[in-house]
Each structure stands twice: as structure tokens, then as C-alpha cells.
Amino acid sequence: MKFLLKFLCVFLLSIYGFSQETFEKKYLTKNYTALDGLPSNEVRSLFRDTRGILWIGTKSGISTKYFGKITLFQPAVDLEFSNVLDITSDSAKNIWFASYGQGILFYDGTKAVRYTKKDGLLSNYTTALFSFGEYIYAGSKKGFSRIHTKTFKIQNFRVDHSSEEDLVITDFFTHKGNLYFTTKRNGVYSFINDRIIEVNNLKDIYRTFITNDTIYVSRENNIEVYKTISFLNKQLPLYSLPSKQVWDFYKTKKDHIIYAASNAVSQNDGGIKVIEGKKITDKTSHFDMADFKVFALEFDETNKVLMIGSQNNGLYQVYLNNKAEYYPYKKRNIIDFHHVKGRMYIMHSEGLSVMGYNDDFGDLKLEDFKRFQQKKYRKWLPLLKSNTCFQKIDTDIQAKNILFYKSMLVNNQLWISSNIGVFQLDNSGLLENYYPILTNQFTLFQGQFIATTSDGGIQIFTDIETLTYKNFSCKRNSDVPKNVVNIVQNENTVLFASATDGLFKYENGVFYSFYKHTAFTEQRLKKIVYIDENRFLVATEFNKLFFIEKKGEVYKVVKSRFSEKIKGNSIDLLAYYQGKVLVGTNYGLNIFNDKTTRLIDKDQGFFNSIITSYYLESNYIIVGTTEGFFAIDLTDVATQNHFSDNLRISGITIQGKPYTKDFCWGVFKEKTLQLSYQENSIDLGFLIGKVEYPEKLSFRYRLKPNEEWSPYFTDPSIKLSYIEPDEYQVEIEVNNLDTGYIEIVQPLTIIINPPFYKTWKFLFAVFVFSSLLVFLLLRYRISVLKKKHRKEQELQEYNNAQKLKTIQLERRITNTKLEALRSQMNPHFIFNVLNSLQNYIIDNDVDNALYFLSKFSKLTRETLNFSTLQFITLKEDLDFIKLYIDVENMRLDYPVSLHIKKNLDFNENDLMVPPMIMQPIVENCIKHAFTRQITQPVIEISVEMLFSKLVIRIKDNGIGYVNQKKENYHESKGIAMVKERLNLLHNEKGTYYTAESSEKGTVITLILPIEIAFTKQK
């Protein structure tokens, strides 16, 4: 490759007199203007700090350029700071800006402070800045201010001069530890021990530049070069260089090239100059710059990028070491390259250039090919006339219309096909033979000339000198290729790529169609390239790549995984070199290997991607295009740059609001970001410094190691919406298509704190509280259960007692009933009844005897029926009293009259009373109340409802028990049983039986619970 570059860039220029424009290298240049984010297109100052940030001072403000992105410097806007003439940094790497009108601006990465005349500056019109020791020196129109970089104390120093005009300090420099400054109108001064002394009265100085012991002094019309000590001693310059008004210098550290920025306000010969020794060269046109008025320079030593600040067109960025080096070569259409034995052939649209070390250099023009054809064509006329099947050549084609199709190097001799025939050059590069054969694609194989024909077949010339050939027609044999676009070969096989019918081979004198006989059925092919004797690579019209390997007589076809990664729509170049697959498309040059994927395109200088040819040499590929050729260093492409130290978070937005805490120099200085659960929508911006081509980077991210990656994106920002509380390790995969290098970077850990009720402390407290609560609840539950069990036991005991009491009560009621029955049916009563019945029988009073017996039997039956019941209706009990009195009246001398009064809210059939509750009282009345003196005995029974009680009164007109002798009075057993039954009905002791007696009779009152009567009725 060095040989080729020597020929193209040095040999042709110096030996053979080619103009520099013919083979001069063109550089990739990018231009940034106000449309890209600059405050103004007038760039007055540039400064690249140690962080890789480019600070751009313009007439209207300040911008930064980082990761290929231009960003407005907002503090300058906020402080209304503009017209920036100079930028520098102090020993602490803080940035200082000089403004012609607004004083000085200081920025420490987090805050900006503006210093003006009000703060102690000598003048607001600062023209130059210089960092020296612990001070910043700020030059102005009348002197300079000295600012301490730690205390920010300002001291002013004026320059005494006789001129009425302002002296205007233009630059500072140091020599042997002492500080000097230059002025526009009053010479050069030293500043030693706080004293200003004039050391040279040289005026009109714009800028100075010291390298080693030499100082370059820019003046109005030239650059004067001095030994530094000679300059300070007012001696004459060593020599002068013609360049007007240079405003800035830069010397590269590696190549030691000095660049000079010339403004030349009144002339049109400014621009970028390169100083090499005593020679100065204008590079403006080679840098493709439209503006020849330049103010400032900066240089990226790592990537060899020159930054240029212009007066009218903003910022220029020139890649001095771009991946694709462009050689216009008069913008000729390059058709092919060949290199053999110290000679280089370049076939192009205007002929053939032959370059070599010796004097055998030549340039064959189209006219030379035409004259040679005309000279040799006569030789073939007899043969052509006798062979009518041979395709006729149009001999009227003029030289300017000659088209070259293909060239091929065989045995150090070059063969060329064209629209006027086939040419052969000798070993010296001179035209040697001509053959009247029209073919677009051909090859020389095993002594045979194999050529395609216009009618879709193949001609094989076994003796090209006599045009002895055999024609193979694709119409007769489908194994014969047609529409061939590419031919390659090895020692045993020729491969043909057809644009319509797929892949063919010619081997052992036989044509063979892969479409017909193998599994490879792709038909629309573009390119073929051999990898080795048994493997080759095929590209289709649809950007598919296939590796095909021959194993014995079998071909194994494998689709390449590179197919999906090809950038571009049409494959015009296919090559295989040292494990790399090179694919040229309309987008650029794709470079693949097992680990990396790369793309060289317009971003790296490969701007004309209409590829016509290529040539591989060492680690270079020379790519011919329709407008010259490009040299691409494949070794440089493989250089890997690590991103882990350069990727930084440059912006954070939380819930739509910018997050500014912990930012310094535009990047987030922490590695962890902790947020609340309500701050879960986050936008992250990131930048990567020190990258030569940031446009070639693509990214994808994930938040957890086991998550899927996001799709690839090119905008360096990540949007995270509504993420759940958790800890997230942000991983960004950076894919550099320039180098093919891929790296995973972890720039930030995001911790979204859960709400307090989801924190472990709260959950632990809840657990403890819950455990305690559960314990207390269990304890309380156990206590409740114990109490319940105790109450259940007590209730059970109570129920058992109540059951026992009920049993006892029922037993007492039963006994009471039996006793009442016995009292009602006592022997005395029965005897009286039977005695009365006997009297009726004796008196032969059959009717009364039968009537009496009927009444008595009914009474007896009712008594027995009622004795088994707990309650009967009031009507039934009253009817029983009536029957009883009827029976009694049949034996009494004075019958008893019964009167019943009822004052009820309910029917007497609906009210329930204990059976025979009134019978013992009525019996007692008849037995004791009615003596023989009572001739009209009356018993009156009244029933009424009073205060939810059933009140029964039994009144007689007898003698009353108060008139009876005390010894004759006793309470019958039946009355006692009634009282006990009443107490049992009320379930408690009380006054439910009362007796009032007088001479007029006795009143017995019974009180029954009406509720019981209702309950029993229901």
C-alpha cells in the first residue's frame, strides 16, 4: 500500500509533472452554523479543555460541542455575555471567557460568575486571556487585569504610553519563566516583579506563537520568524512567511505541523495555512472551506481533527486522518486498478494511466486506443468477412465514445474489453494486440479466452490469434449462462454470476447450472469472490450473501448472517480479505468479520459511494468511483476505543422537570440516583467524549441483567416511564460502526424508593405490630373462649337447673292437678251425688234419676278430660262451672243461681286459662257460704281484661267467712291448690289471689297473665 500511495501522492507530482490538483488528497470537512446551534456564524475563539469539550466563543454568545452535539451555553445567555474574543483555563481547569464589552466570565462547572469594571476590572473591553501561575491575565485596551484564581482578587496594571490611541493588548507569552505581552499599537512589554517594561517597539502584532526557541509573530502582511531571545532584544527576524493577519496558531504534538488562521480582513487571501520549515501552504481549498476569513484554531490530538472558527460560516471541523482518504484524480470515472512488478495501471473513463518506478511511465488516452484499433483492424477483415456468425464491430465509434467494460491481468499483461474490441498490453504497459471481440465479461482460463456474447451465450476461443472459437448457446443448453455480470476463477473452475439465471460453472469443458442441479436457487446475482480453492462468496441483487463450499462433488450452501446487517440497497463491491468480508453499496463500505460490523460512509469521508472497482493491497483497499478513488486503511478501522471512561450522563429529567443537582461540567458526577416512588418517569441524556465519529454510534439499553435489550437507537437519550420501585442498573450497549467495537457500559444506578408502607422497616414494624396484635387477639380470643366456655358451663348448669326446676314444676303441676282432681272429685261429693241418686231411685223418680245420672257422668268425663290438659279456653271453664252447679243444685234444697258477666276485648274462645281454676272456689262457696238461712243463693262470675291481665271475680251472697267461727274456719285444700297454680303461671310469687268477705258475701279475685293466654292460644 505504501507503494501505491507513493505513486499517487508523491511520484506523480514530483517526477512526472502531474499537477497537484490531479492527485491532491481531499479532506473530510464538516460545517456547523447557527442552524446547528451556534449563537452566531461569527466564531471568534475556540478552546478544547481536558475533558474533550470544545468551547466556542462567538459574537452573540457561547456554545459547547461534545459528542458531535452543539449546545448553547445557558449561563452566558442568562448573564448577557457575548462578543467572546478569547477562552482559556486556569490550573484548576476552570474556564475563563474574555468579552469585548462585557468583561470576563468565570465558570467552574456548576456556576458562572461575571466580572466587570464595577467589580474592579480595568476595562470591560477584554481582548486576550492568559493563565500563568495562580493568575489569569486579562488584556484590554489600556493595560491588563490580574485575577487570582482562588481568592478572585483583582489587580489592574496600566501601560504608560505617549500615543493617544489605545494600545490594545493582543497576546501574552512566556519565556524562561517571565511573562510578556504584545500590543497592537505600542510594541512588546515584559511584566516582571509587577513592573511593566517595554522590550520591543514592534507594532501591529496580531498574535505570537512560540515553539522551542523560535517565536512566530503575526503582523499585518506577513509572519516574522525570530529566535525568541533575538525578538526580545529587538533583532531582525530570521525570515518572513507571506500570510496576512494571522489570528491564531496551532502546532500538532505528533506531526509537529503548524497551522495558522488568517483573517485578512481587507484582502481575499486568508484561510488556513500550513507552515513546514520556511514553506507556507494554503490548505483552505483542500479543506473544502467556503470562508477565507478565519479567527481561531483548535486541534483534537487523539482523533487528528482540526477545528476552525470562521468569520461568516461558523465552525469547520476537518478530519486530517479520516478513514477514507479521497483523491479526486480530476474526478475521473475509475474503472479498474492493477498492480504488477513496480507498475500501477489505473483504467478510467479517459484512458489508461500507467505508473512505475522507471521511465516507462505512460498515459494511454482514448485516442491511442482508437488509433491502435484502426491500425490492427485491417488484419482481421478477411477473417471477419468469411465468418458471418461473428459479431460485427462498429468501426465508426469515435474515440470520445469509447467505453471500457473490464480489464484483467494475466501473466503480467493487461487485457481490456471495450465497445470497440479487446486490447492486450505488453509487460511494459504498451498496446501490443487487438482482437475484434465484443464482450462485457471475459476471462483467460487454461489457455482459453472465454467471453460472453450479446445474444446471451458464451464463446470459448481455443486460439485467439486465429479467432478459433466454439459457441455455446444458452437457448439450446440451459446449463450455459446468459446475462453474465461477474466472472471469477481458480485453477480448475470458472464461476459465472447471471443477473437472471443464478450461478454457473465451467469445469472440465462442461457448463453446469447451480439452479438446475443444486439447492442454490438464487437467480438474480451481482457478485462472486473466491475465498480459497474450495470456498466462494456470492452476493445477490437483493443484498443476500451466501457462503458456498465444495466438498468433493457436493456444494454446501449457507446463508451468511451478514446479510441482515448490510447497509445499502445495491451491492457493487464484494471482496474477502484476511477474514474480512467487504461489501460496497450505495451507502458505503460494509466490513464484516466474526466479531464486528463496520460501515465506512460519508461520515468518515467516503462520500461518493457509486463504486466502480477496487484493489486490495496490504491493509488498504483502494475503491474506484465515478469521481476519483478512495484509500481506506482497514487496520485503522479495526482500532478499538473503550467507552466506559467516556460515557457520561449529561441530562436528567424527572416527571418532566430538569434535575440539576450533582451536575458539574454538564455531566452527572454521581453513580447513583435515588428517587421517591412518585418520581418514576425519568429521561436520561448521555454523551460519549473523545469519539472521532459520534454519528456512527448506535445504542440499546436494559435495566436488569436478565431483561431483553431495547431496540437500537441513535439519539443518545433514554426514556423510562412509570418504572416500579426497585434498584435498576442502567446498562447501555454502545455499537461503533466506525470501528465495529461493541461495549456495555454501566453509567448509572437508579434506585426508586418504595412508599413508606413498602419499606422493610415499615414492613418489619407492621410484622412486629401484627404479631403483637395477633398475640393479643389470640390472648383475647382465648380469654373470650374461656369466658364463653365458663358462661356456657354456667348456662348449662343454669339450664340444667331450669330443666330440673321445670321438671319439678311440671311434677308439682301434675301433682297439683291430681290433688285438684282429687279435691274436686272427693269422696264426700261423690257420696252426696250417689245418695241423691239413690233417693230418686227409691222415690221411683226415674226421670230425675236418669237426668241426674247424665249430668254427673258428663261432669265426671269433663273432669277427667281437663285433668290431662295444661290450658283450656275460658268458655270451656265457664261451661264446666255451669255443669258443676247444675249437678250440685239437684241435691240442694235451695238451688244456686249462676250469673256470668264478661267484659273482654277478645272472644272467650280465644282466651286460655288453666283447667278448672274456678271450680274449687265455687265448690267452697256452695259448701261454706250458703247456709239454710240463704234461701236464694247466687254466685256471680265476672271476667274482664285489665292492664294486660285477665281478672276473674267470683262473688257469692253467702254469710261470708268473717261471720264463721274461727275454729270452724279453715282454708280448703282446693283453695290452696288454686293459689299455688297461680304462682306457677306467673313463674314467681305474688298476689294473684285475693278474697274479700263481708256480711253480704265473699268476693274472690283471680289474676291471670293475659300474655300466657295469648301464647297458649297461638
Side-chain angles (χ1 to χ4, degrees), residues 744-781:
I744 296 175
V745 184
Q746 297 178 344
L748 185 66
T749 298
I750 299 176
I751 300 175
I752 304 294
N753 294 317
F756 75 95
Y757 51 83
K758 289 186 178 181
T759 60
W760 72 268
K761 292 182 179 179
F762 178 81
L763 294 176
F764 179 74
V766 169
F767 172 75
V768 173
F769 177 77
S770 301
S771 301
L772 180 61
L773 182 62
V774 169
F775 171 75
L776 294 176
L777 289 175
L778 288 175
R779 186 176 179 181
Y780 174 75
R781 178 64 176 166

Side-chain angles (χ1 to χ4, degrees), residues 456 472-482 498 501-505 511-517:
F472 295 86
S473 173
C474 60
K475 296 178 182 179
R476 298 176 182 176
N477 185 356
S478 58
D479 281 315
V480 175
K482 66 178 179 180
S498 169
D501 295 291
L503 182 65
F504 295 82
K505 74 172 181 177
F511 285 98
Y512 176 90
S513 169
F514 281 72
Y515 179 77
K516 284 180 57 179
H517 304 293

Side-chain angles (χ1 to χ4, degrees), residues 925-951:
C925 289
I926 294 173
K927 184 177 180 181
H928 299 288
F930 299 133
T931 62
R932 290 186 178 274
Q933 290 81 12
I934 307 299
T935 58
Q936 293 180 345
V938 177
I939 295 177
E940 183 179 301
I941 299 176
S942 64
V943 183
E944 64 177 337
M945 295 182 67
L946 184 65
F947 302 113
S948 299
K949 302 293 183 180
L950 183 65
V951 180

